[in-house]
């Protein structure tokens, strides 16, 4: 397979420029929003998956399944191998989104409720915006930062109220997951400006196969597997919905509207996950949730209107 062409203008690599076509921005927002909906189901699906699989088995098998699907698509469409200069970014995507985030959040969900995990990970938009500013020099407006910080403050207040102010080992896993996932999102959003978003996550998944295949074999030999309807459904969703399809539309959305603005759509993700946790897992939803939802949605509206 041949390498992809390097003929890319500097403007094509820009992540959040002011000249995005009017027709592209609404479509990009829709794609990013669909990614958020897919991601909002990840924690409930992981909780289901843990009913049938051990944590390490669930992490490895989901990545292998997603890689098989992605690799099949890449082969069927005869997609050329990315240029060497893109492999570092793909490795960051793989380490952060394919391995790091699923590993740390799955370990956290062994002792944490999905509701608590969801609101902690609600800090991901701000973390992504910060890493984006450091990595690729995006400079959102002051209004953007005020709204983003307000949204993060609402999420933090909700987290403290729900947990009684006590931080646990699960919280440490979740904060680590924030950092590695934000790094993967930032690199993925940058790469999605020079190659289709589905190819970004596809190559990242394939790149991780030398790690995930042996990991799956070892984990399955040590951890018991109990095939249940919930367990299989949870595994299939985190593999196909969260790990592949969700990331495809998410990276396409980030490429169209910019990393900072796309990341702020994720402020709605914890509240969506809370709804799924009630409907799918029967967890109790406190009165603070709709109040937080209202504050978060206001912040989303402001960040989407603020110019980069």
């Amino acid at each position: 397979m041949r390498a992809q062409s390097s003929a890319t203008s500097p403007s094509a690599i820009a992540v959040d420029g002011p000249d995005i076509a009017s027709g592209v921005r609404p479509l990009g927002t829709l794609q990013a929003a669909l990614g958020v909906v897919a991601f909002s189901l990840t924690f409930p699906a992981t909780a289901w998956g843990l009913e049938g699989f051990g944590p390490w088995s669930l992490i490895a098998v989901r990545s292998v399944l997603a890689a098989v699907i992605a690799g099949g698509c890449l082969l069927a469409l005869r997609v050329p191998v990315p240029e060497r200069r893109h492999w570092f970014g793909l490795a960051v995507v793989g380490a952060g989104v394919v391995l790091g985030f699923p590993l740390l959040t799955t370990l956290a969900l062994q002792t944490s409720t999905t509701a608590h995990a969801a609101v902690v990970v609600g800090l991901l938009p701000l973390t992504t915006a910060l890493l984006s500013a450091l990595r690729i020099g995006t400079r959102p407006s002051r209004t953007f930062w005020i709204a983003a910080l307000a949204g993060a403050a609402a999420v933090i207040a909700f987290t403290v109220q729900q947990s009684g102010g006590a931080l646990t080992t699960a919280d440490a896993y979740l904060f680590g997951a924030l950092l590695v996932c934000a790094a993967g999102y930032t690199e993925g959003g940058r790469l999605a400006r020079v190659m289709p978003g589905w190819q970004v996550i596809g190559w990242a998944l394939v790149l991780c196969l030398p790690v995930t295949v042996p990991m799956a074999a070892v984990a399955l030999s040590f951890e018991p597997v109990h095939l249940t309807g919930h367990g299989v459904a949870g595994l299939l969703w985190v593999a196909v919905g969260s790990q592949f399809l969700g990331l495809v539309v998410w990276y396409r959305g980030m490429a169209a509207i910019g990393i900072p603005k796309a990341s702020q759509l994720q402020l709605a993700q914890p509240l969506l996950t809370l709804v799924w946790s009630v409907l799918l897992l029967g967890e109790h939803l406190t009165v603070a949730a709709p109040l937080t939802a209202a504050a978060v949605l206001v912040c989303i509206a402001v960040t989407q209107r603020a110019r980069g």
Side-chain angles (χ1 to χ4, degrees), residues 43 174 259:
F43 286 173
L174 293 170
I259 294 174

Side-chain angles (χ1 to χ4, degrees), residues 15-16 128 132 136 185-186 189-190 254 257-263:
V15 176
D16 195 17
T128 302
S132 171
I136 51 183
Y185 280 174
T186 299
R190 183 182 65 83
M254 282 200 296
I257 66 176
I259 294 174
K261 289 188 177 182
S263 70

Side-chain angles (χ1 to χ4, degrees), residues 37-131:
V37 173
F39 299 153
S40 72
L41 281 161
T42 299
F43 286 173
T46 299
W48 274 9
L50 288 171
E51 294 180 15
F53 298 87
W56 293 93
S57 298
L58 182 62
I59 296 160
V61 173
R62 68 178 275 185
S63 297
V64 171
L65 287 177
V68 169
I69 296 171
C73 292
L74 292 169
L75 286 174
L77 296 175
R78 298 182 180 181
V79 176
V81 176
E83 296 177 34
R84 184 178 299 178
R85 64 191 177 94
H86 296 318
W87 282 104
F88 174 77
L90 290 170
V92 174
V93 173
V97 177
V98 177
L99 296 176
F101 185 79
L103 171 62
L104 293 170
T105 54
T106 300
L107 292 175
L109 285 171
Q110 289 187 287
T111 57
S112 171
T113 65
T114 59
H116 180 78
V119 289
V120 174
V121 175
L123 294 175
L124 183 57
L126 182 59
T127 309
T128 302
L130 287 170
L131 287 184

Side-chain angles (χ1 to χ4, degrees), residues 2-295:
R2 61 185 178 84
Q4 288 180 333
S5 173
S6 60
T8 305
S9 66
S11 60
I13 304 177
V15 176
D16 195 17
D19 299 325
I20 299 175
S22 59
V24 174
R25 186 177 291 278
L27 178 59
T29 301
L30 175 61
Q31 290 170 330
L34 288 174
V36 170
V37 173
F39 299 153
S40 72
L41 281 161
T42 299
F43 286 173
T46 299
W48 274 9
L50 288 171
E51 294 180 15
F53 298 87
W56 293 93
S57 298
L58 182 62
I59 296 160
V61 173
R62 68 178 275 185
S63 297
V64 171
L65 287 177
V68 169
I69 296 171
C73 292
L74 292 169
L75 286 174
L77 296 175
R78 298 182 180 181
V79 176
V81 176
E83 296 177 34
R84 184 178 299 178
R85 64 191 177 94
H86 296 318
W87 282 104
F88 174 77
L90 290 170
V92 174
V93 173
V97 177
V98 177
L99 296 176
F101 185 79
L103 171 62
L104 293 170
T105 54
T106 300
L107 292 175
L109 285 171
Q110 289 187 287
T111 57
S112 171
T113 65
T114 59
H116 180 78
V119 289
V120 174
V121 175
L123 294 175
L124 183 57
L126 182 59
T127 309
T128 302
L130 287 170
L131 287 184
S132 171
L134 293 173
R135 174 69 177 91
I136 51 183
T138 55
R139 293 293 182 268
S141 67
R142 181 178 299 178
T143 301
F144 176 95
W145 284 116
I146 292 173
L149 289 171
V155 170
I156 291 173
F158 184 86
T159 304
V160 172
Q161 188 270 336
Q162 290 290 299
S163 64
L167 296 179
T168 65
T169 301
D171 291 319
Y173 286 137
L174 293 170
F175 285 125
L178 285 175
L179 294 175
V180 297
C181 190
Y185 280 174
T186 299
E187 287 300 316
R190 183 182 65 83
L191 289 171
R193 295 294 294 180
V194 295
M195 67 176 73
W198 76 270
Q199 293 182 24
V200 174
I201 186 58
W203 285 116
L205 285 163
V206 171
L207 187 63
C208 290
L209 278 174
V211 175
T212 55
V213 169
M215 180 179 171
V218 172
L220 288 171
S221 67
F222 282 95
E223 294 179 337
V225 175
H226 306 287
L227 294 181
T228 64
H230 279 180
V232 173
L235 171 63
L236 290 177
W237 178 259
V238 294
V240 181
S242 302
Q243 193 85 74
F244 183 60
L245 295 179
L247 285 167
V248 168
V249 292
W250 173 243
Y251 282 140
R252 287 179 64 90
M254 282 200 296
I257 66 176
I259 294 174
K261 289 188 177 182
S263 70
Q264 296 314 300
L265 289 174
Q266 280 198 304
L267 285 170
Q269 184 174 324
L271 290 310
L272 288 173
T273 299
L274 289 177
V275 174
W276 299 129
S277 70
V278 172
L279 296 178
L280 301 178
L281 304 175
E283 294 185 2
H284 177 65
L285 188 64
T286 67
V287 70
L291 296 177
T292 308

